[in-house]
Amino acid sequence: MRVCSIGSGSKGNGTLIQNDQGCLLVDCGFGLNESIERLAKKDIQLNQLQAILVTHEHGDHGKGVGMLSKKAGVPVFGSAGTYQALLERNIINKEHDFVIISPEKPFQLMGIEIIAIPVPHDAREAYQFIFSNQHACFGLLTDAGSITPHLLDCYRSCEYLMLEFNHDFQMLQNGPYPESLKRRVSSPLGHLSNEQSLDFLKGIESQLLKKLVVSHVSEQNNNIDLVKSLLDEHFSFSEDELVFSNQVDGTPWFFCE
């Protein structure tokens, strides 16, 4: 299978997982036309989509889920809490083909085993996902306010990882956000700081990683150069093992094999 981001950040998120059976999209935080354009930039047409998985209801992850799933004629997979929240926000309606999935109960799409992992975030019932086939294991972990021993156990076997490095704590505290938003972002139900993500990598014994994708980097409270310098200080990832996702282009495709 191969993976890419179509965009990552507070203005919209989406991740593609493709194999010879089709393509899955995790989250769609863009409007319909922009979503189609972003897919096209990755050489993906709507008829290649098989399903949309949604991590939680926040607009930068769920905004376009309803429109795109209808346009493509594909089901949406997510938690019961996310389903109710998307209904309340009028992002989907009861006519949508929405499949409610249970946490940590593996299911299969396109021959890929998928496990939904509950994460601490200020959403109704937020999940992140781990994807496995006979060749590789890819983990997606963003929008989590804290790292738990259980999360470390779940992601320890991932050889490919897309991990949030949302903010530098001091930049956040000294930055332009209102105090209420600063508290939300840095809370145990907010977003992972650089230090938390570094600790996560240490905790999962990241020697197994073949590729790390740095994602959901705040444009206001962080920067790629800072994250790269921290990773260089604490780890020995090669240039080929590190990918940095951004809001405009996401990432190039990379293979999990």
Side-chain angles (χ1 to χ4, degrees), residues 155-173:
Y155 284 85
R156 191 163 277 127
S157 62
C158 293
E159 300 151 297
Y160 301 83
L161 178 64
M162 187 175 289
L163 177 64
E164 172 177 59
F165 281 75
N166 179 256
H167 62 278
D168 172 78
F169 184 76
Q170 290 304 319
M171 287 180 68
L172 174 66
Q173 295 308 309

Side-chain angles (χ1 to χ4, degrees), residues 29-167:
F30 309 99
L32 179 60
N33 291 336
E34 184 177 358
S35 298
I36 294 172
E37 289 173 3
R38 285 177 179 263
L39 292 176
K41 287 180 180 178
K42 306 300 182 184
D43 296 320
I44 297 298
Q45 306 302 314
L46 287 187
N47 61 7
Q48 294 174 269
L49 282 184
Q50 302 298 309
I52 299 174
L53 285 71
V54 59
T55 59
H56 62 293
E57 71 272 15
H58 291 165
D60 60 326
H61 292 262
K63 175 183 176 181
V65 166
M67 294 181 290
L68 188 66
S69 64
K70 281 286 190 182
K71 184 73 172 178
V74 298
V76 180
F77 290 73
S79 71
T82 297
Y83 174 67
Q84 291 299 325
L86 291 174
L87 284 175
E88 292 168 12
R89 292 179 176 221
N90 297 314
I91 292 173
I92 63 170
N93 56 48
K94 292 188 176 180
E95 296 178 358
H96 273 89
D97 183 2
F98 195 102
V99 180
I100 294 174
I101 53 178
S102 301
E104 300 182 41
K105 184 177 180 181
F107 64 101
Q108 292 222 355
L109 292 171
M110 303 182 345
I112 299 171
E113 182 179 274
I114 304 168
I115 301 177
I117 310 296
V119 294
H121 192 53
D122 58 350
R124 190 72 60 86
E125 189 182 359
Y127 288 163
Q128 294 293 313
F129 296 100
I130 296 174
F131 303 84
S132 303
N133 62 15
Q134 65 269 36
H135 302 295
C137 179
F138 165 68
L140 176 63
L141 179 57
T142 70
D143 295 76
S146 50
I147 298 300
T148 65
H150 182 62
L151 280 180
L152 294 174
D153 287 341
C154 289
Y155 284 85
R156 191 163 277 127
S157 62
C158 293
E159 300 151 297
Y160 301 83
L161 178 64
M162 187 175 289
L163 177 64
E164 172 177 59
F165 281 75
N166 179 256
H167 62 278

Side-chain angles (χ1 to χ4, degrees), residues 5 58 239:
S5 167
H58 291 165
E239 186 174 333

Side-chain angles (χ1 to χ4, degrees), residues 183-194:
R183 288 193 297 271
R184 174 186 172 262
V185 169
S186 61
S187 80
L189 296 177
H191 289 271
L192 293 177
S193 70
N194 292 342

